[in-house]
Structures are given as C-alpha cells and as structure tokens.
Amino acid sequence: MDDDDMDHGHSAAVAWEAGKPLVIEEVEVAPPQKNEVRLKILFTSLCHTDVYFWEAKVTANSYLIHACGLHLIVESVGEGVTDLQPGDHVLPVFTGECKECPHCHSEESNMCDLLRINTDRGVMINDGQSRFSIKGKPIYHFVGTSTFSEYTVTHVGCVAKINPAAPLDKVCVLSCGISTGFGATVNVAKPKKGQTVAIFGLGAVGLAAAEGARVSGASRIIGVDLNPSRFNEAKKFGVTEFVNPKDYDKPVQQVIAEMTNGGVDRSVECTGSVQAMISAFECVHDGWGVAVLVGVPNKDDAFKTHPMNLLNERTLKGTFFGNYKPRSDLPSVVEKYMNKEMELEKFITHAVPFSEINKAFDLMLSGESIRCIIRMDG
C-alpha cells in the first residue's frame, strides 16, 4: 500500500442501518497518523457486542465492527511508533494500554485512562477524524478497532505484538471474549487446584471462563445456563455438571449450595443478567468464596443482596477484559496456547469467507456458533 496518500478500493463491511445486513463497500483507508498503525487484516470474528450494536445502536454512516478475534500484519506505522514495524504479527484489542497513565502504571489495573473502551467514539484520538471514507464521506470506527475491512487504522496502544509463529486463524480469537473469560478465572477468581467453580452463562465468554477453571485444576465445574443444549458442548471445556435454573422451584444459588456442601469456592458470571449476578455472588461459600462479574449489564440495572453475605466473608469482584493489559499480557497468553497450556481450536466452530459476513451474524443470532472465523481473503 502506498503510504503517501489515501489508499483506494479496499473492501469493508459497512452497517448503514441498524439491524440490516452489512453491505460490502469499497472504502478508502487513510495512512496512519501520529501513534497509529495501519494493519492488513487476515482473519476476523464476531461477538455479541457487534450484534448488540448492529441491532440497536447503529446510526446512518456508522462503520461497524470491533476486534473480536482477528489477526493482522502491520502494513505501515505513523510518526512516534517505535515498538512495531511493517511485517509484525499483531492482535488488536478493543481496549488499550498507553503505558503512561496511573492505570497503566498500576500492577492491579488494565483500565487505561486514554484508551479504555468507548463505544461512542467513532473517530481517532489524535485528530478527531475517521480514517475510513467512501467517496470522501467519512465512515466511523467502532470501539477503536474496526476490523471488517481489508485494512484498518488503530492507535498503537490497542495493538499487541505476538509470536509470528502462532497460527493466525487460531490465536485471533484471543482479541476479545476468549481472553475476557479465561482471564476472569485465572487472573481474578484464581481458583486453587481441587476447588469448585460455577460458571453462569455458557456462551463463548463463559466457556473461556470454564477453560480457565479447567487449566487451573478445578475439581468440579458447574455450568449454569437456561439453554440445556449448551451442556454437551460445554463438556469439552471442562464443565462437569449442568444446572438449568428453570428446572427448580428455588433460587439457583440454593441449588448450588446444596450440591456443594455450602457453596462453590469460586463463581464467574458471564451473562450480564442482574439475577445471574446475585445468584453468582450468593452461591459462593462463606469464609472464602469469590464471585467475579464479567457480563455487561443494561444501563439502568441495579441489584441488591443482604450485607451479611459480604460480612460472612464472601468477596464480590468485577473485571474488564480478563484483567489483561493488552500490550504487556496478551503475548504471554498466545505463548500459553503455543505451549499447549490452553486450547483454542474448540472455540472455533465455523468459518466463512468475507463475502458471506452476514452468515456469521446469522450463526451468532441463532446460537449455533461459539466463534465464527471470517477469512478476509474470501
């Protein structure tokens, strides 16, 4: 790609209207500006956030889509970019790490002040402009990492440089939900070997949380979901027992407490339902139980629980992107896969060429796919 001027004629999937199929359009992708990189996209994927915004939030001109699992190669770098060069293999992430703010300097936080997720910002931080256009008309970015395009431009802080030997079509799923769920368990819930873990919600994020419990050596992994057809698939991720709250006339936290002699040691909530959040917290054992919230709630949600549940030494925690700092931590997660310490193939249930991108939406809406890889060359 010629770096001196606007590049013409690259395919992108554009959401012109909420809930309507994406349209493959020819877009121009501007060169990277200060602290930005332009990336060639090889594989991408879709997550529920994309579907949610596509169904409800997309306004005219919005250029959808986010980095839920993609693999890219650096095509060119803007001024001030020193730790990446053309040809590097990278994973872009919907959040970021500027390495300079109090959050980035903290050992505990990954919530970068500059680059944390902002679903309303459709432009680049550097100059408030989009890097995408169709016939001169701007098309907007989605959460900083628009990746349903052959090329994209993103802030250098949202890009993790990874081992070039890693298979592109596998590690791409680590850009989003898989790292979120896996990290929620291994970095935040931190189950000890032999402990019991409950996972609420067995979509991609919940299955990744289960995988985290499996590699941590959990003795029992209890999957909680309203859809019984998910249990069979969940066994591949270490889930040993399945509880459907609809099968009982008492709260599911009570069911789990009775199954586990007082409660599980750890729970991870991956649905965003406030009822599931309460259940996930109240089902952990007093004295040492830890519950971790991952699912994103609705705007006006609130939940209540009796303060004695906390005073009896249960812990409630929240997490964002599995507590991983994208640039610092994601390369080591890729190495975990390379060293066979975690499995990724089982998350990838479907693959489609870019020309059939709307099929990926259909697969996710129907609940058929965990992750559907979209090959950008097709």
Side-chain angles (χ1 to χ4, degrees), residues 312-328:
N312 286 339
E313 300 181 359
R314 291 177 185 86
T315 302
L316 180 62
K317 295 175 130 179
T319 177
F320 169 71
F321 192 56
N323 206 229
Y324 288 119
K325 292 179 189 276
R327 296 160 85 182
S328 302

mmCIF file of all heavy atoms in Angstrom, residues 312-328:
data_model
loop_
_atom_site.group_PDB
_atom_site.id
_atom_site.type_symbol
_atom_site.label_atom_id
_atom_site.label_comp_id
_atom_site.label_asym_id
_atom_site.label_seq_id
_atom_site.Cartn_x
_atom_site.Cartn_y
_atom_site.Cartn_z
ATOM 1 N N ASN A 312 -20.101 -12.132 55.974
ATOM 2 C CA ASN A 312 -19.744 -13.540 56.193
ATOM 3 C C ASN A 312 -18.580 -13.977 55.303
ATOM 4 O O ASN A 312 -18.397 -15.159 55.030
ATOM 5 C CB ASN A 312 -20.958 -14.443 55.954
ATOM 6 C CG ASN A 312 -21.967 -14.335 57.089
ATOM 7 O OD1 ASN A 312 -21.617 -13.917 58.194
ATOM 8 N ND2 ASN A 312 -23.204 -14.689 56.809
ATOM 9 N N GLU A 313 -17.816 -13.001 54.845
ATOM 10 C CA GLU A 313 -16.535 -13.223 54.166
ATOM 11 C C GLU A 313 -16.662 -13.882 52.794
ATOM 12 O O GLU A 313 -15.895 -14.768 52.442
ATOM 13 C CB GLU A 313 -15.560 -13.970 55.101
ATOM 14 C CG GLU A 313 -15.303 -13.158 56.368
ATOM 15 C CD GLU A 313 -14.337 -13.806 57.334
ATOM 16 O OE1 GLU A 313 -13.839 -14.911 57.077
ATOM 17 O OE2 GLU A 313 -14.090 -13.173 58.383
ATOM 18 N N ARG A 314 -17.644 -13.387 52.070
ATOM 19 C CA ARG A 314 -17.676 -13.652 50.624
ATOM 20 C C ARG A 314 -17.118 -12.409 49.936
ATOM 21 O O ARG A 314 -17.264 -11.296 50.441
ATOM 22 C CB ARG A 314 -19.112 -13.887 50.136
ATOM 23 C CG ARG A 314 -19.734 -15.174 50.628
ATOM 24 C CD ARG A 314 -21.182 -15.269 50.134
ATOM 25 N NE ARG A 314 -21.839 -16.438 50.683
ATOM 26 C CZ ARG A 314 -22.446 -16.468 51.858
ATOM 27 N NH1 ARG A 314 -22.503 -15.380 52.623
ATOM 28 N NH2 ARG A 314 -23.020 -17.575 52.285
ATOM 29 N N THR A 315 -16.509 -12.597 48.782
ATOM 30 C CA THR A 315 -15.918 -11.483 48.038
ATOM 31 C C THR A 315 -16.591 -11.359 46.685
ATOM 32 O O THR A 315 -16.794 -12.366 45.994
ATOM 33 C CB THR A 315 -14.399 -11.721 47.829
ATOM 34 O OG1 THR A 315 -13.780 -11.863 49.100
ATOM 35 C CG2 THR A 315 -13.755 -10.560 47.082
ATOM 36 N N LEU A 316 -16.940 -10.127 46.313
ATOM 37 C CA LEU A 316 -17.531 -9.843 45.003
ATOM 38 C C LEU A 316 -16.573 -8.942 44.229
ATOM 39 O O LEU A 316 -16.170 -7.891 44.721
ATOM 40 C CB LEU A 316 -18.878 -9.144 45.184
ATOM 41 C CG LEU A 316 -19.634 -8.763 43.906
ATOM 42 C CD1 LEU A 316 -19.991 -9.991 43.088
ATOM 43 C CD2 LEU A 316 -20.899 -7.970 44.256
ATOM 44 N N LYS A 317 -16.184 -9.379 43.044
ATOM 45 C CA LYS A 317 -15.238 -8.616 42.232
ATOM 46 C C LYS A 317 -15.799 -8.407 40.833
ATOM 47 O O LYS A 317 -16.611 -9.190 40.355
ATOM 48 C CB LYS A 317 -13.905 -9.385 42.093
ATOM 49 C CG LYS A 317 -13.144 -9.560 43.390
ATOM 50 C CD LYS A 317 -11.925 -10.426 43.162
ATOM 51 C CE LYS A 317 -10.694 -9.773 43.742
ATOM 52 N NZ LYS A 317 -9.482 -10.579 43.559
ATOM 53 N N GLY A 318 -15.287 -7.387 40.172
ATOM 54 C CA GLY A 318 -15.618 -7.182 38.764
ATOM 55 C C GLY A 318 -14.338 -7.223 37.952
ATOM 56 O O GLY A 318 -13.238 -7.048 38.486
ATOM 57 N N THR A 319 -14.481 -7.451 36.655
ATOM 58 C CA THR A 319 -13.291 -7.473 35.810
ATOM 59 C C THR A 319 -13.638 -6.979 34.413
ATOM 60 O O THR A 319 -14.794 -7.007 33.997
ATOM 61 C CB THR A 319 -12.677 -8.880 35.723
ATOM 62 O OG1 THR A 319 -11.555 -8.856 34.837
ATOM 63 C CG2 THR A 319 -13.677 -9.886 35.193
ATOM 64 N N PHE A 320 -12.614 -6.527 33.727
ATOM 65 C CA PHE A 320 -12.745 -5.985 32.380
ATOM 66 C C PHE A 320 -11.626 -6.600 31.542
ATOM 67 O O PHE A 320 -10.455 -6.573 31.943
ATOM 68 C CB PHE A 320 -12.601 -4.458 32.477
ATOM 69 C CG PHE A 320 -12.461 -3.765 31.158
ATOM 70 C CD1 PHE A 320 -13.544 -3.682 30.296
ATOM 71 C CD2 PHE A 320 -11.261 -3.207 30.774
ATOM 72 C CE1 PHE A 320 -13.414 -3.041 29.077
ATOM 73 C CE2 PHE A 320 -11.123 -2.565 29.563
ATOM 74 C CZ PHE A 320 -12.211 -2.485 28.718
ATOM 75 N N PHE A 321 -11.973 -7.208 30.414
ATOM 76 C CA PHE A 321 -11.002 -7.877 29.540
ATOM 77 C C PHE A 321 -10.072 -8.807 30.325
ATOM 78 O O PHE A 321 -8.869 -8.884 30.077
ATOM 79 C CB PHE A 321 -10.196 -6.847 28.728
ATOM 80 C CG PHE A 321 -9.394 -7.471 27.603
ATOM 81 C CD1 PHE A 321 -10.030 -8.245 26.630
ATOM 82 C CD2 PHE A 321 -8.023 -7.304 27.516
ATOM 83 C CE1 PHE A 321 -9.302 -8.840 25.598
ATOM 84 C CE2 PHE A 321 -7.285 -7.894 26.486
ATOM 85 C CZ PHE A 321 -7.925 -8.660 25.526
ATOM 86 N N GLY A 322 -10.652 -9.537 31.289
ATOM 87 C CA GLY A 322 -9.892 -10.561 31.996
ATOM 88 C C GLY A 322 -8.709 -10.039 32.794
ATOM 89 O O GLY A 322 -7.813 -10.788 33.161
ATOM 90 N N ASN A 323 -8.716 -8.718 33.068
ATOM 91 C CA ASN A 323 -7.625 -8.071 33.803
ATOM 92 C C ASN A 323 -6.297 -8.118 33.045
ATOM 93 O O ASN A 323 -5.225 -7.904 33.616
ATOM 94 C CB ASN A 323 -7.474 -8.664 35.219
ATOM 95 C CG ASN A 323 -6.845 -7.681 36.193
ATOM 96 O OD1 ASN A 323 -5.914 -8.018 36.909
ATOM 97 N ND2 ASN A 323 -7.339 -6.461 36.221
ATOM 98 N N TYR A 324 -6.350 -8.386 31.740
ATOM 99 C CA TYR A 324 -5.125 -8.376 30.930
ATOM 100 C C TYR A 324 -4.818 -6.961 30.449
ATOM 101 O O TYR A 324 -5.709 -6.283 29.925
ATOM 102 C CB TYR A 324 -5.286 -9.263 29.687
ATOM 103 C CG TYR A 324 -5.295 -10.741 29.965
ATOM 104 C CD1 TYR A 324 -6.413 -11.515 29.650
ATOM 105 C CD2 TYR A 324 -4.174 -11.378 30.515
ATOM 106 C CE1 TYR A 324 -6.424 -12.880 29.887
ATOM 107 C CE2 TYR A 324 -4.192 -12.740 30.752
ATOM 108 C CZ TYR A 324 -5.317 -13.490 30.446
ATOM 109 O OH TYR A 324 -5.333 -14.845 30.680
ATOM 110 N N LYS A 325 -3.578 -6.534 30.582
ATOM 111 C CA LYS A 325 -3.101 -5.328 29.897
ATOM 112 C C LYS A 325 -2.755 -5.779 28.484
ATOM 113 O O LYS A 325 -1.917 -6.672 28.308
ATOM 114 C CB LYS A 325 -1.848 -4.774 30.582
ATOM 115 C CG LYS A 325 -2.069 -4.195 31.994
ATOM 116 C CD LYS A 325 -0.738 -3.707 32.552
ATOM 117 C CE LYS A 325 -0.802 -3.306 34.013
ATOM 118 N NZ LYS A 325 -1.284 -1.939 34.210
ATOM 119 N N PRO A 326 -3.399 -5.196 27.458
ATOM 120 C CA PRO A 326 -3.262 -5.776 26.108
ATOM 121 C C PRO A 326 -1.821 -5.936 25.615
ATOM 122 O O PRO A 326 -1.432 -7.020 25.192
ATOM 123 C CB PRO A 326 -4.042 -4.794 25.231
ATOM 124 C CG PRO A 326 -5.012 -4.147 26.141
ATOM 125 C CD PRO A 326 -4.358 -4.084 27.484
ATOM 126 N N ARG A 327 -1.040 -4.876 25.665
ATOM 127 C CA ARG A 327 0.309 -4.963 25.089
ATOM 128 C C ARG A 327 1.249 -5.786 25.957
ATOM 129 O O ARG A 327 2.087 -6.530 25.459
ATOM 130 C CB ARG A 327 0.899 -3.560 24.907
ATOM 131 C CG ARG A 327 0.138 -2.722 23.919
ATOM 132 C CD ARG A 327 0.413 -1.233 24.087
ATOM 133 N NE ARG A 327 1.598 -0.785 23.376
ATOM 134 C CZ ARG A 327 2.049 0.467 23.425
ATOM 135 N NH1 ARG A 327 1.417 1.377 24.161
ATOM 136 N NH2 ARG A 327 3.125 0.819 22.744
ATOM 137 N N SER A 328 1.105 -5.659 27.269
ATOM 138 C CA SER A 328 2.026 -6.343 28.184
ATOM 139 C C SER A 328 1.702 -7.821 28.348
ATOM 140 O O SER A 328 2.612 -8.641 28.476
ATOM 141 C CB SER A 328 1.990 -5.681 29.572
ATOM 142 O OG SER A 328 2.315 -4.320 29.487
#
